[in-house]
Amino acid sequence: VQLQASGGGLAQAGGSLRLSCAASELTFSTYGMGWFRQAPGKEREFVAAISWGGASTYYADSVKGRFTISRDNAKTTVYLQMNSLKPEDTAVYYCAAGGALSTVVSGTVAYWGQGTLVTVSS
């Protein structure tokens, strides 16, 4: 199983970035998917999750209203649209594949992708 994250980079505060995570060797449509992040010197934290069919989503309070998670099962890809970026959003972002939405939110996932670095300048 591979989860290949991309789309990270440098953005200014108030700007936007869109992360993608392409899955392979995975029955993608049967997995809940999530995004997590780890800032320098901090523990990894939950950002957003989406159910296998895309009907249900859940967000951390810190990103609610600014970030949107979505998925395209035909392309076996999950996205994270990040708007109104803040310097505190700076982190390495990881995608993950798991089961039910609640388990993904808790960080109990089956697979982790490699991270993509997001840096937000003030």
Side-chain angles (χ1 to χ4, degrees):
V1 172
Q2 284 195 335
L3 300 176
Q4 184 73 36
S6 61
L10 178 64
Q12 289 193 335
S16 298
L17 284 173
R18 188 194 195 202
L19 305 184
S20 299
C21 175
S24 59
E25 307 297 329
L26 182 74
T27 309
F28 184 77
S29 61
T30 66
Y31 282 82
M33 299 295 296
W35 287 96
F36 295 75
R37 66 186 182 187
Q38 187 167 19
K42 295 187 177 182
E43 293 187 352
R44 188 178 298 184
E45 64 175 2
F46 167 76
V47 175
I50 188 166
S51 59
W52 63 270
S56 299
T57 58
Y58 191 81
Y59 297 91
D61 287 343
S62 58
V63 306
K64 201 173 295 182
R66 299 188 298 122
F67 290 10
T68 302
I69 188 171
S70 61
R71 66 189 296 160
D72 185 334
N73 285 349
K75 295 182 178 179
T76 65
T77 300
V78 62
Y79 306 96
L80 186 68
Q81 178 67 44
M82 305 186 295
N83 298 330
S84 302
L85 283 164
K86 303 176 181 180
E88 51 263 44
D89 294 320
T90 295
V92 177
Y93 283 71
Y94 299 88
C95 61
L101 190 64
S102 59
T103 60
V104 175
V105 171
S106 72
T108 306
V109 300
Y111 305 103
W112 290 97
Q114 98 294 353
T116 186
L117 177 63
V118 171
T119 303
V120 183
S121 62
S122 58

